[in-house]
Amino acid sequence: AQSVTQPDIHITVSEGASLELRCNYSYGATPYLFWYVQSPGQGLQLLLKYFSGDTLVQGIKGFEAEFKRSQSSFNLRKPSVHWSDAAEYFCAATLSGTYKYIFGTGTRLKVLA
Amino acid sequence: GAGVSQSPRYKVAKRGQDVALRCDPISGHVSLFWYQQALGQGPEFLTYFQNEAQLDKSGLPSDRFFAERPEGSVSTLKIQRTQQEDSAVYLCASSLTGGFNEQFFGPGTRLTVL
């Protein structure tokens, strides 16, 4: 069955530290991949997406993600975290030509001052 | 408006009551989606409209759930005889075209069933 896994439910980092959020997918073919951020009381905001091509994808707010086919992973990274990055992060996937997103269970990021 | 809007933002219902949740998609967006997000979980697909046509309702958890988009813009998700397990955030998303395209999400409606 198709699935998206985010192994870390909670992550805490200090402000200014680097961040990596993990995402693994299980699909028969390479899906389209997304990272969304959800702040309290807000909808999901797209950070970045991968369809094909360059495996290192740049997004908004200084985030980037790297697609690794061999590991079925699409990890999100940021070199230096800001307090405003505290939120919940969701990885999602869908197959080419389809509209049905499958989301991971999310990683809640806490940032220490 | 600039984005997807949903109303009400919060809804408390007594078990057995009917509720109606509204979604205003981005103007001109053809596709509209409803998702259910239970506490501590990621959003799960409920249903998909292309204009006024409901092309996929495979994610609706029971026949108590009903969605419509009669004029191809505003959509309403209705839940009849609410149960405690219906408590969740209901997210609406829209996209510009049919089929695959980036989905833009609304802020959601948090439904609490007592």
Side-chain angles (χ1 to χ4, degrees):
Chain A
Q2 299 167 345
S3 66
V4 174
T5 303
Q6 293 180 247
D8 304 304
I9 299 174
H10 297 280
I11 282 186
T12 301
V13 300
S14 298
E15 191 170 19
S18 64
L19 171 70
E20 182 169 29
L21 303 183
R22 296 183 290 165
C23 173
N24 293 93
Y25 64 88
S26 175
Y27 272 75
T30 299
Y32 291 171
L33 294 158
F34 308 83
W35 275 100
Y36 283 87
V37 60
Q38 186 177 39
S39 299
Q42 303 295 313
L44 297 166
Q45 181 183 20
L46 181 67
L47 289 174
L48 45 78
K49 57 192 176 187
Y50 173 76
F51 294 164
S52 64
D54 192 346
T55 56
L56 187 62
V57 180
Q58 301 298 321
I60 62 171
K61 304 185 178 185
F63 286 92
E64 67 178 26
E66 185 172 14
F67 170 67
K68 292 186 177 179
R69 185 189 307 274
S70 62
Q71 299 177 17
S72 297
S73 69
F74 187 57
N75 294 350
L76 182 71
R77 301 195 296 244
K78 187 169 185 178
S80 177
V81 169
H82 188 263
W83 63 266
S84 61
D85 293 325
E88 188 143 26
Y89 292 79
F90 291 94
C91 182
T94 185
L95 285 176
S96 168
T98 69
Y99 51 80
K100 196 175 293 187
Y101 285 21
I102 294 178
F103 285 85
T105 52
T107 298
R108 184 169 296 278
L109 174 66
K110 182 177 179 180
V111 180
L112 301 176
Chain B
V4 178
S5 60
Q6 294 185 244
S7 60
R9 293 293 311 277
Y10 302 91
K11 177 69 178 178
V12 178
K14 292 183 179 178
R15 186 175 160 209
Q17 283 185 329
D18 298 348
V19 298
L21 312 180
R22 176 187 169 106
C23 172
D24 283 85
I26 294 172
S27 178
H29 276 199
V30 167
S31 296
L32 186 144
F33 308 83
W34 284 98
Y35 291 84
Q36 181 189 58
Q37 185 178 15
L39 189 64
Q41 301 296 316
E44 293 192 359
F45 170 84
L46 293 179
T47 187
Y48 163 54
F49 289 86
Q50 188 173 123
N51 296 308
E52 68 278 3
Q54 189 175 22
L55 300 187
D56 187 341
K57 53 182 181 179
S58 62
L60 296 177
S62 78
D63 58 8
R64 296 185 295 103
F65 286 71
F66 172 76
E68 60 182 6
R69 193 186 185 199
E71 297 178 359
S73 56
V74 172
S75 177
T76 304
L77 176 67
K78 297 179 180 178
I79 309 173
Q80 297 177 323
R81 305 180 304 281
T82 53
Q83 304 293 315
Q84 284 190 322
E85 62 263 28
D86 300 334
S87 296
V89 174
Y90 291 86
L91 295 168
C92 177
S94 69
S95 68
L96 182 60
T97 62
F100 169 75
N101 210 315
E102 178 181 340
Q103 297 182 20
F104 295 84
F105 285 81
T109 294
R110 180 176 296 279
L111 173 64
T112 303
V113 181
L114 303 176

